Amino acid sequence: MTSQFTVSGLTKTYGANVVVDQLDLAIEEGEFLVLLGPSGCGKTTTLRCLAGLETPQDGSIVFQDRAVFDAQAKLDVPAHKRNIGMVFQSYALWPHMTVRDNIRYPLKVRKLRERISAGAVEAAADMVDCGKLLDRYPSQLSGGQQQRVAVARGLVAQPDLVLFDEPLSNLDARLRDQVRSQIHQLHKRLGFTAVFVTHDQAEAFALGDRLAIMKAGKIEQYDAPERVFENPVSEYVAAFIGMANRLELRHSHNGWITSAGDELDLTHAVVRDSADYGTSAVARLRPDDVLLHTSMNEVPHGNVALHAELVTYEYGGRHFDVTVQTGTERLALRADAAEHGAVLRSSRQGAPYVVSFSPASLRVFADPDDPSPTVSELATAGAGGQL
Ligand SMILES: Nc1ncnc2c1ncn2[C@@H]1O[C@H](COP(=O)(O)OP(=O)(O)OP(=O)(O)O)[C@@H](O)[C@H]1O
Ligand SMILES: [Mg+2]
């Protein structure tokens, strides 16, 4: 399948700082791609390169069959000729223009007068339930209304590609959900192609047809949301998508053990790069997958059990968010309030508990700090065979 938008070897540096590093991306027509990553990893810079607001040092960007940037060929199509819609984090509406003039702006710049007279501005405002606000100024709108106007302005010219840069992050939780679901519905209805930047994993899973997880200017994993959720390719991705618990494992004669000395059978765990382990490894686990018990007798058959001590708990309505200590590590878990509330409320810090989880919920990665040689290193050094 050919991609509608192809980014190849994109590199953007500021002085000695490589912000976007040989980045490749292929986006299908009508796809909603979410770019997810921590602050400073280069998300906004990547969007600005796509939009033509930054000039990369290297690489190429092709929209459909048309190259809009090619460093080798010294081609750089200016922003206003790329047919792109943008929706930013801060609404970026013109304060001195009415809602009508704000939404009309991209049509005016592109000289699409027929669309203005055909009612495109009103239609775009209606799409985001702002049809009654056309004569107001931005200062007379709530935050949610301003962001919806910004979405209408981003879509009004029917751009080939719509770029969203954390458009929901300035909204309170309730409005964020509302505008998020409106963007989701508009995408289903209109079928535009989108790149949506966020550092919120819930937003990414809710909206994305595919997720690109970014690390230091590169794409670490590019996959369907379910695959990212179930099979993070690295510990970095696992940690970023909610596998908050980290267990350091050592290999002993009897197999793998935790820092507290509990044995861990990894036969049913999802192990990555298993051939490359030295004598230590790192396991990641979601708080949702950890169960709390008051004694070993309660551990379900087949689960791994660890001895733990209570550190702290917080009431969350139907559940408690609980932190326990096991060996050198702290684990977070979510305990049912009806089942555990009374006992937790009467427990002191340091009270003994047992936690357990299915080995299938573990994701195991090579330990980045393991100094011992890996199987493949021994093989290349010519010492192979013994392991
Ligand atoms: N104009 C600039 N000059 C110099 N450095 C810059 C410039 N713009 C961005 N940077 C640097 O590039 C890196 C990536 O910035 P970018 O804005 O793309 O990050 P981001 O992933 O969007 O982060 P956030 O989630 O905080 O918005 C940062 O270290 C930033 O300081
Ligand atoms: Mg940014």
Side-chain angles (χ1 to χ4, degrees):
M1 197 177 189
T2 56
S3 300
Q4 198 194 14
F5 300 91
T6 313
V7 176
S8 313
L10 194 74
T11 299
K12 174 72 194 169
T13 58
Y14 293 110
N17 190 7
V18 182
V19 174
V20 179
D21 189 3
Q22 294 284 320
L23 182 129
D24 297 324
L25 265 185
I27 312 164
E28 307 299 340
E29 176 151 17
E31 183 170 35
F32 202 106
L33 170 70
V34 174
L35 207 53
L36 180 69
S39 185
C41 73
K43 305 181 297 295
T44 295
T45 308
T46 303
L47 280 198
R48 289 177 59 82
C49 290
L50 281 170
L53 301 171
E54 296 285 348
T55 306
Q57 276 73 17
D58 204 0
S60 67
I61 305 172
V62 178
F63 287 8
Q64 283 130 343
D65 296 330
R66 174 177 168 237
V68 295
F69 178 80
D70 190 328
Q72 300 267 300
K74 298 205 179 343
L75 171 77
D76 191 5
V77 174
H80 66 277
K81 293 197 174 150
R82 291 194 186 188
N83 199 20
I84 276 181
M86 283 202 79
V87 185
F88 300 97
Q89 176 173 16
S90 49
Y91 328 118
L93 300 177
W94 302 106
H96 60 286
M97 287 186 194
T98 60
V99 167
R100 183 188 311 280
D101 289 342
N102 265 288
I103 298 177
R104 180 158 53 192
Y105 188 77
L107 297 175
K108 262 179 84 176
V109 179
R110 286 172 215 176
K111 303 197 168 47
L112 299 169
R113 294 195 198 291
E114 321 81 71
R115 287 217 206 139
I116 297 175
S117 42
V121 172
E122 291 74 13
D126 281 341
M127 245 166 25
V128 292
D129 301 328
C130 291
K132 296 205 175 74
L133 306 175
L134 283 166
D135 295 317
R136 292 212 204 161
Y137 286 89
S139 62
Q140 300 168 313
L141 303 178
S142 72
Q145 287 167 336
Q146 289 186 52
Q147 197 52 295
R148 297 209 306 266
V149 170
V151 171
R153 185 180 57 181
L155 296 176
V156 71
Q158 298 175 352
D160 296 329
L161 182 64
V162 188
L163 305 176
F164 295 90
D165 193 359
E166 308 208 32
L168 309 178
S169 57
N170 280 343
L171 305 178
D172 68 45
R174 199 175 54 86
L175 274 177
R176 201 180 306 149
D177 287 352
Q178 266 178 22
V179 180
R180 178 177 93 186
S181 101
Q182 205 151 26
I183 291 173
H184 191 58
Q185 286 167 30
L186 281 173
H187 176 253
K188 292 282 170 247
R189 180 146 65 90
L190 305 175
F192 52 84
T193 309
V195 181
F196 185 104
V197 161
T198 181
H199 54 245
D200 180 318
Q201 47 146 328
E203 222 167 274
F205 283 124
L207 289 170
D209 293 321
R210 269 198 293 177
L211 309 188
I213 289 90
M214 242 181 126
K215 176 185 179 183
K218 286 183 189 298
I219 305 289
E220 179 99 343
Q221 185 165 10
Y222 189 22
D223 234 329
E226 289 83 353
R227 296 218 14 106
V228 175
F229 188 86
E230 294 297 344
N231 290 305
V233 295
S234 63
E235 201 206 343
Y236 172 88
V237 175
F240 203 74
I241 52 144
M243 295 194 165
N245 292 320
R246 182 179 208 263
L247 285 172
E248 290 181 5
L249 309 179
R250 274 180 304 123
H251 200 260
S252 75
H253 302 301
N254 301 328
W256 292 96
I257 52 172
T258 67
S259 65
D262 289 298
E263 283 181 20
L264 212 57
D265 179 0
L266 296 186
T267 319
H268 298 291
V270 178
V271 178
R272 296 206 70 102
D273 311 324
S274 56
D276 248 4
Y277 288 146
T279 53
S280 58
V282 176
R284 283 278 175 177
L285 181 64
R286 282 175 206 285
D288 287 351
D289 290 334
V290 184
L291 301 176
L292 186 68
H293 315 285
T294 46
S295 79
M296 280 289 175
N297 304 335
E298 299 168 8
V299 175
H301 180 70
N303 266 21
V304 174
L306 307 180
H307 293 94
E309 288 181 357
L310 182 65
V311 176
T312 178
Y313 59 84
E314 282 173 16
Y315 180 55
R318 293 266 157 77
H319 67 267
F320 280 82
D321 287 311
V322 182
T323 308
V324 297
Q325 183 86 31
T326 167
T328 56
E329 287 116 17
R330 287 197 168 176
L331 296 185
L333 64 95
R334 194 156 260 206
D336 183 70
E339 191 181 340
H340 296 283
V343 179
L344 277 170
R345 289 269 191 213
S346 64
S347 296
R348 290 211 210 115
Q349 200 178 12
Y353 274 89
V354 173
V355 295
S356 85
F357 46 84
S358 159
S361 57
L362 282 179
R363 300 293 176 273
V364 186
F365 306 95
D367 181 358
D369 299 326
D370 189 353
S372 62
T374 61
V375 175
S376 54
E377 277 165 0
L378 285 175
T380 38
Q386 308 95 315
L387 287 181

